[in-house]
Amino acid sequence: MLSGVRVLDLSGEPGWLAGRILADLGADVVKVEPPGGDRIARRGPYLRDIEDPERSLAWLVLQGGKRAITFDGTVPAARWARAQLFAWADVLIESFASPVRTDWGLEADRTAAEHPRLVHCSITPFGRTGPYAEFRGGALVVAAMGGGTVHAGDRPPVRCTAPHAVLRAGPEAALGIVMALHAQAATGRGGLVDVSLQECIAHGTPTPGSPREIWAARDGWVLFRLHDDARRDGGLRALRAWLAESGPGSDGPLSIGADLEHALASFFGARTCAELGEGALARGIPLVSCNDAAALVAHPQLRAQELFTTLELPACDAAIELPGAFARSTGYPIGVRRRAPRIGEHQEEVFAAAGIGRAECEKLAAEGAI
Amino acid sequence: MAAPIYAGVCMLEFGSSPTGALATGFFAEQGATVIRIESRPWRGPAEQDPAGGVLLDAGRHRVAIDLATDDGIVLALRLVERADVVVDGLAPGTLAGFGLAPERLLLRKPDLILVSVSPFGQAGPQRDARGEHAEAAAIAGFSPLPGSSDGAPASAGDPLSPRYVALLIGAALLARRRGGRGQHIDVSQVETGVYSLGEWRVREPAGPTSAGRAARSCDEENAPHGLYPCHGDEAWIAISVSDDEDWDALLAAMGDPEWATQPRFADRASRRRHADELDAGIAAWTRDFAPYELMAGLQAAGLAAGVVQHDAALRRDPQLAHRGHYVRLADPIRGSVVAERAGFRITGQAAAFEASSPARAEDTDAVLQERLGLDPQEVAALRARGAWA
């Protein structure tokens, strides 16, 4: 869908997913790393537990479909090459804090003046301007500030160990980018897409903790949302009928409250996740088991739908299987098309396409910029 | 301000799932016309009490057409012909059952962008499983992730799929603008969740899954790292210390208490090994502070810290206010309602949505007249014949 769109991905972790998504839609995404590689690639777990940035699972998954170069655009001698790369690109993604952003020449008014067609996507914890613009924030801090911590019952709030803000910012930044490209097609002008991780969390997040959702099964956990949404009445009715099958009076009272919760809890607690999941599916009850990774890769629906793709990694003498796509279309291919690049693997071809010759590259190498 | 990006673009939404509503909401904000077809009386997001909450579906035109009637099908097909995008949030097979199968719609309008979204996608042995955000997140493996001392998971209920639906609509509109074709896109909510967690779902073929580890973000390696109590009712602060330089800054902020200067807290790996003791010490210190004061002090010391906020606190948040996240919209019946903007701003683009019609069917007459060119007598005759109720 996005073939012909050229993307320079200068980002750290908050932008990696956005780049992967654009690549899976057909864009030509070039991951730009500082010479020596990204800090975040030095994060485990690693393929076969061999510590090596090119075996980082985060790298192998989130750089899938991209090409890669090394380049330090903050070195004074690199300014011309930097401008050539920015001119080559339709889209630039970065997640720099403000001092580094300035070193890269990525102040919003500057990119707008020097590269008016460029769509410049910036991903920061709180956005580029405003009272918290210079605040530090990791995944946990922005989740807290955006309303994303989990509150259930009278326990202290708990955090989700998955980086929700980053997972949301991936598709949301990619959305902002395609919207800005749509505007650019009409006006010829790009502009800034200013993504705030805090705001990605705040947007569309319901008030936490009202209905009871998680229940203990005999061998794990299941999710059934016990609340009075009219559209779900049928599900609760069917569940109570199922309870009634196990004996008179076992379906609990009609109204939602502690007694019904108790009846459900003992029903769930006496059965396995598999029994509950299969029974619910047959009865049209929106109850599901909370899967772990092992249960997922074996999931019959995901297997039938061929969600997982295998990529060969000759340099690692291995292959990996990963979730290949986020949707399917009758019109265009969607999904990962090539393995993650090795560090700097496409240096020459990308620089040549951007009009940066061999002599210039040698100069940049001498200055430590590549 | 520039013209809204999607001025003149029309989207039809079948069903009233929160996923469809959130997805089309991104485009309503940028000027698209979004028409929701509500075949049967049901309680959609618009009817939920927006008091204290946020209207999920600003900018919708609400049309009642009974898809079980011949007149209703003819009207729906004519609306589809005049639309750019159709979002099908109904259970798989429902539209086809009404005679509105994807192939038929695309035959009728070859450049149509039709997106179907359901828990498990349009095909496969479990395509009929019921559910929404929370169920999809649980299946995808989000729910067991939140950590807590008693070991019980809590629902993550994370609405990732609307963002993917919106992204796909945006990419498809861009492709079409550049001369591309129409398409039917099939989104499985579970698959968007699994894809998002891809890093933790990798394995070697026939080998174990990525070391069987729970999904963790980079900063889960930090120590201290957690939610700590503050002075006041339900007052909590998130603090995350990424390296030893940060730790020194936190020590200075705490006034170098004796317990914290013990060698077992000197480096990050060791702090992680003694996390329970570390957290107890930090909590004993944070407990005496008002949360916002503590956040300001820690941020001024260069530390990542943020107050746990929900509802009212979010609505007062000065940063979200600066970004214009919450937008108050005039509403003829409720006086005013609050809608919210997406997580990003595009240069020069203001929020272009208006309040929704609060009631189902409210806009049926206007939409049929304006978009299909029917006159009031024709509309009245259709209603009398039972094309909607």
Side-chain angles (χ1 to χ4, degrees):
Chain A
M1 258 180 266
L2 299 180
S3 62
V5 173
R6 297 158 168 179
V7 182
L8 274 187
D9 180 358
L10 306 180
S11 68
E13 191 183 29
W16 286 17
L17 179 56
R20 159 93 199 264
I21 288 169
L22 295 173
D24 284 0
L25 288 171
D28 177 9
V29 182
V30 174
K31 178 79 190 83
V32 182
E33 295 170 278
D38 249 312
R39 187 180 70 87
I40 300 156
R42 300 197 198 107
R43 156 158 85 84
Y46 298 95
L47 188 61
R48 291 184 192 161
D49 288 327
I50 301 169
E51 261 191 58
D52 170 358
E54 293 185 355
R55 288 173 170 267
S56 155
L57 295 184
W59 176 266
L60 290 171
V61 171
L62 292 168
Q63 311 306 0
K66 302 180 192 176
R67 299 195 284 168
I69 61 172
T70 64
F71 180 62
D72 180 356
T74 66
V75 179
R79 281 189 68 159
W80 179 79
R82 185 176 81 195
Q84 289 294 108
L85 284 168
F86 289 5
W88 170 84
D90 301 295
V91 176
L92 182 153
I93 309 173
E94 50 95 358
S95 59
F96 296 129
S98 59
V100 185
R101 184 195 300 154
T102 308
D103 294 343
W104 270 91
L106 287 168
E107 299 94 332
D109 47 357
R110 185 162 167 193
T111 48
E114 294 175 4
H115 303 281
R117 286 189 60 82
L118 186 67
V119 170
H120 171 188
C121 176
S122 155
I123 306 174
T124 54
F126 297 96
R128 300 262 305 220
T129 62
Y132 298 165
E134 303 296 326
F135 270 22
R136 278 186 65 188
L140 174 66
V141 169
V142 295
M145 293 285 281
T149 54
V150 182
H151 298 243
D154 48 10
R155 311 196 305 215
V158 294
R159 62 180 190 265
C160 186
T161 50
H164 265 175
V166 173
L167 301 186
R168 286 191 185 188
E172 204 150 329
L175 171 63
I177 287 166
V178 297
M179 285 181 159
L181 285 169
H182 202 97
Q184 189 231 45
T187 64
R189 295 191 67 85
L192 182 69
V193 178
D194 174 8
V195 182
S196 152
L197 295 172
Q198 179 202 22
E199 200 175 18
C200 287
I201 287 288
H203 178 221
T205 297
T207 308
S210 25
R212 168 130 189 220
E213 297 188 329
I214 304 278
W215 311 78
R218 207 167 75 204
D219 59 347
W221 304 90
V222 294
L223 180 141
F224 175 78
R225 298 167 75 197
L226 182 61
H227 59 102
D228 56 359
D229 183 335
R231 292 191 299 155
R232 290 166 171 274
D233 268 1
L236 183 55
R237 239 191 337 267
L239 179 58
R240 293 181 75 259
W242 188 11
L243 261 69
E245 289 168 24
S246 51
S250 58
D251 53 342
L254 277 168
S255 58
I256 291 174
D259 290 345
L260 179 58
E261 271 195 39
H262 184 76
L264 292 178
S266 53
F267 180 78
F268 295 145
R271 285 161 180 80
T272 64
C273 288
E275 281 174 68
L276 290 169
E278 281 159 27
L281 191 62
R283 293 170 172 83
I285 300 166
L287 173 148
V288 300
S289 47
C290 299
N291 289 314
D292 60 13
L296 255 182
V297 295
H299 198 286
Q301 171 75 7
L302 301 181
R303 284 280 145 202
Q305 293 288 83
E306 297 175 347
L307 174 63
F308 296 95
T309 302
T310 301
L311 296 174
E312 299 292 332
L313 304 170
C316 304
D317 191 25
I320 54 166
E321 191 183 68
L322 74 168
F326 48 88
R328 40 186 73 73
S329 164
T330 58
Y332 296 86
I334 300 173
V336 64
R337 289 168 301 161
R338 60 204 291 173
R339 63 165 171 79
R342 309 195 58 199
I343 291 163
E345 183 175 346
H346 305 95
Q347 199 79 16
E348 281 184 25
E349 62 186 66
V350 172
F351 275 66
I356 304 165
R358 206 171 277 267
E360 182 68 20
C361 286
E362 278 164 21
K363 212 175 82 191
L364 290 170
E367 295 284 338
I370 58 178
Chain B
M1 285 286 161
I5 297 173
Y6 296 101
V9 169
C10 175
M11 301 189 176
L12 294 187
E13 198 184 307
F14 286 92
S16 62
S17 76
T19 303
L22 272 166
T24 54
F26 286 102
F27 295 90
E29 180 189 332
Q30 303 290 348
T33 300
V34 183
I35 298 170
R36 177 178 299 153
I37 312 279
E38 292 162 299
S39 181
R40 291 292 159 82
W42 52 32
R43 214 176 80 142
E47 268 106 332
Q48 288 160 16
D49 178 14
V54 172
L55 192 65
L56 253 185
D57 58 352
R60 301 308 194 286
H61 301 271
R62 304 184 63 193
V63 170
I65 291 176
D66 189 345
L67 296 176
T69 67
D70 291 345
D71 284 334
I73 292 301
V74 171
L75 290 173
L77 280 171
R78 290 179 63 189
L79 284 169
V80 168
E81 277 170 3
R82 285 162 182 75
D84 302 286
V85 176
V86 170
V87 177
D88 159 29
L90 299 167
T94 307
L95 270 189
F98 287 128
L100 299 173
E103 307 76 41
R104 183 173 179 201
L105 298 184
L106 275 157
L107 207 62
R108 193 99 172 191
K109 185 172 168 62
D111 67 348
L112 181 70
I113 295 159
L114 170 61
V115 186
S116 298
V117 55
S118 61
F120 262 136
Q122 301 294 303
Q126 296 186 14
R127 70 165 204 165
D128 296 321
R130 293 183 55 199
E132 254 302 330
H133 299 324
E135 289 80 8
I139 296 166
F142 275 94
S143 293
L145 304 177
S148 70
S149 49
D150 58 12
S155 166
D158 189 60
L160 287 167
S161 52
R163 288 155 168 94
Y164 283 93
V165 172
L167 159 74
L168 286 156
I169 294 171
L173 281 167
L174 182 65
R176 207 183 68 171
R177 199 193 152 89
R178 303 192 316 161
R181 43 191 184 273
Q183 52 183 314
H184 178 208
I185 300 173
D186 171 9
V187 183
S188 150
Q189 292 177 270
V190 171
E191 290 185 9
T192 61
V194 178
Y195 177 87
S196 307
L197 290 174
E199 182 189 335
W200 297 280
R201 298 290 176 258
V202 192
R203 62 173 196 169
E204 291 191 61
T209 315
S210 34
R213 274 170 251 209
R216 303 175 79 88
S217 58
C218 268
D219 66 356
E220 290 291 316
E221 305 295 318
N222 294 352
H225 176 78
L227 306 173
Y228 302 95
C230 291
H231 186 72
D233 189 31
E234 282 304 299
W236 302 83
I237 191 166
I239 299 174
S240 186
V241 166
S242 58
D243 54 25
D244 294 342
E245 199 183 320
D246 276 2
W247 174 242
D248 289 341
L250 183 60
L251 281 180
M254 292 193 295
D256 294 304
E258 203 195 325
W259 70 265
T261 48
Q262 302 297 315
R264 64 182 174 284
F265 299 128
D267 66 88
R268 186 168 80 163
S270 179
R271 283 196 297 278
R272 271 177 59 83
R273 278 197 302 278
H274 300 94
D276 288 346
E277 196 189 341
L278 177 69
D279 286 341
I282 303 285
W285 177 70
T286 58
R287 210 177 283 281
D288 292 331
F289 292 90
Y292 289 94
E293 196 184 313
L294 185 58
M295 172 175 77
L298 292 176
Q299 285 281 356
L303 290 160
V307 177
V308 169
Q309 305 193 108
H310 290 289
D311 299 334
L314 288 174
R315 304 271 284 274
R316 285 193 304 265
D317 180 276
Q319 180 67 17
L320 293 174
H322 170 83
R323 289 175 65 85
H325 180 72
Y326 296 104
V327 183
R328 192 162 283 282
L329 303 171
D331 182 282
I333 293 172
R334 293 167 289 198
S336 71
V337 290
V338 173
E340 58 180 340
R341 300 195 66 179
F344 57 86
R345 295 291 168 278
I346 300 172
T347 310
Q349 298 294 335
F353 45 33
E354 295 168 353
S356 264
S357 303
R360 179 183 168 271
E362 187 99 336
D363 306 311
T364 306
D365 289 16
V367 166
L368 296 184
Q369 288 177 36
E370 284 161 25
R371 295 204 72 84
L372 301 186
L374 302 183
D375 61 39
Q377 289 76 26
E378 289 173 295
V379 172
L382 282 165
R383 180 193 286 123
R385 290 214 302 270
W388 63 91

